[in-house]
Amino acid sequence: MVEYKKAPIKAKDKMKQIMTNYFLDAYSAKDNGKKIAWITSGGPVEPLLAMDIIPIYPENHGAMIGASKMGQKLCSYAQGLGYPNDLCSYALADIACSKGEKGPIGQLPKPDLLICCNNICSTVVKWYEIQARYFDVPLFILDTPMCHTGFSYEIRSYVEQQFYELFLFLEHICKKKFNQERLQHIGMLSIQAQRLWQEILETTKHSPAPMSAFDAFFHLALIVTLRGTQVCVDYYKELLEEMHQRIEQGICAVPQEKFRILWDNLPIWYRTKWLSDKFAQKGVCLVADTYTSAWCSSLKYIDENNFLNPLSEAYTRIYLNQGIDIMADEIIKMIEKYMIHGFVMHSNRSCKPYSFGQYDIQNIIRAQTGIPILIIEADMLDETKFAEGQIESRIEAFVELLETRYEA
Amino acid sequence: MISVGIDIGSITVKCAVIKDNEILATSLDLTGFDVKKAWNKVFYDTINKANILEKQIDYIISTGYGRESVDIADKKITEITCHGAGAHFLDPRVRTVIDIGGQDSKAISLDKNGRILDFVMNDKCAAGTGRFLEVMARAMGVDLKEFGNLSLEAKDPVKISSLCTVFAESEVITMVSKGKKREDIIAGIHNSIASRTFSMANRLQISPPIMLTGGVAKNKGLVKALEKKFAQDIIVSPFAQLNGAIGAAYLAQNHKK
Ligand code: SF4
């Protein structure tokens, strides 16, 4: 019998270095004659790279704020400015930092332009409008209609038209011609990175899993911020290789893996360590999640030979921009693919599009798979919305339920 | 086989001793600030009542929010599993347990062997819990013990629209000052808890029969409101608050040190 053991993922240090370099580049953009665009996490980054613009992701910054446990302080600062408690905590924290409050890396480099795509939510539209007024910079809004049941010709042409407008917008700002060939090249790199990311996530099909969703939450930063670059592709190649080695050497996330869990919604950034330990103590491994896999979920619509063509479809048909029946279908596929014993849904106060349909999705999944499902209420950033005692009890009771279900 | 269950809740500590599947003794007391002192007292009270010596005990299970503080426990199990087990022990027909405790409420569905199929707990909020009732009783200047019986006399229950305990309290005070009848307001309060409990429990597949546990199970007015809302009879646990401790002791019956 193989002796399974736990060990940290080696590539981690390299990733920290890559992220540091990325921010250093961004902070010195002005000196190097480069422009900075703030962009939403689901926004089309490839056209920016094609124009040598450095993309900055306030949501990624939000994750860093959460992981450094600075969310509560920043959210309450923004609330003090009059923004409501119910507003997404990424927006609150970003607004607070823009007004001079310090985050984990101080403040983000100031934007020259803003790109907002509402494929993730409508909050981002108002949030970016506020920032456009505050920084007095141009804002481009890419409007992607919700795909309740599928895609249509009308949606395609409507979104495609906006892509051409985006190119013109970028030409105008950069005062140079948009380079379609360069876009094709960057698009290829982006697709390659998404494929690698998918392969990395799929290594957890192996039991015990060589990494957990908590590791995926960390390593996600590159596919969000640097997809379309060679650095990103090279890093994920290395990470994938390491995952294969870990499987061979019996290195895994939870050596006593008894139960495999699927996670829904954003991580609870300030509690990832706590949750990961809590689950691991009980032999539970979060092997997959609907969140990190969203960054490779539109691969099926992409055409490598012509990146531009399906761009509108790929950016419109993302996980959060579809009806709950489609979401439930994707979850069921994941449950089968990863041999899942239980499903834990984070009902996230901040993220309405992610949390709104959860009870219906729960019913669909329960009816179709019969696996136990737990819903825990919290917030990805704001610690005041996390009740440790209650969440602890729920998790423990859920594990007891899994034990009676599967060990009887 | 002698086993003990200790349930440490936010408001009370409960203990039960079971010998060969028979309840020998139970007791309860306030939790207070010193949890350790509280369970020690209740534990020794109960074994004295049961007329057994500590060394005769084969297995101890602790449960409830304070379960980790019980260092003499052989095992710690959540109150969800213990409430399910307690209800099954007291009445094996039970398929759904509704527990309304001091600061939370939960619904649990059971299979025929008393195993948990699914559960839900209330949101991070006191509405729909025992604490809500306490606050309302205080706001109305009525003894909590009277609450249930008074509401049975209601002719025209008021509607409490606020879900928040604090806001509901001011709503109730406004109604008192408007001269609404006491019993109608109390019935309105019970209806509000019943509908909250119903919408929580409805996230599960509710199979009959339902058993109500927790301190509020003694409140006849609330039981009536719940029966109306769930459109079925509800079995009231004869041991109300002690259900979790009994469940823990019952689960401990199947363990050997
Ligand atoms: S509401 Fe959700 S999708 Fe929108 S910015 Fe906040 S976390 Fe992201």
Side-chain angles (χ1 to χ4, degrees), chain B residues 1 32 43 47 64 76 156 159 177 193 195 203 229 240 250:
Chain B
M1 169 75 183
F43 171 69
I47 61 173
K76 288 143 191 158
D156 183 18
K159 200 163 164 36
S177 61
I193 297 187
S195 63
R203 293 182 207 151
K229 197 76 209 173
Y250 168 60

Side-chain angles (χ1 to χ4, degrees), chain A residues 41 59 88-91 120-124 127 266 320 348 350-354 380:
Chain A
S41 66
E59 289 155 77
C88 166
S89 50
Y90 277 174
I120 46 170
C121 67
S122 321
T123 304
V124 287
W127 168 9
L266 277 78
L320 279 186
N348 182 355
S350 268
C351 192
K352 282 79 180 174
Y354 223 141
M380 62 208 178

Side-chain angles (χ1 to χ4, degrees), chain A residues 194-207 209-211 216 240 243-244 247 260 287-289 292-293 296 299 333-334 337-339:
Chain A
Q194 292 176 55
R195 290 234 162 85
L196 286 162
W197 180 241
Q198 183 165 39
E199 280 183 64
I200 292 165
L201 295 179
E202 286 179 352
T203 58
T204 62
K205 286 197 280 190
H206 189 272
S207 175
M211 66 168 203
L240 179 62
M243 287 306 136
H244 289 314
I247 292 175
R260 298 164 62 80
V287 295
D289 69 283
T292 58
S293 55
C296 48
L299 270 176
K333 277 189 210 132
M334 291 183 86
K337 176 152 105 187
Y338 293 100
M339 296 169 297

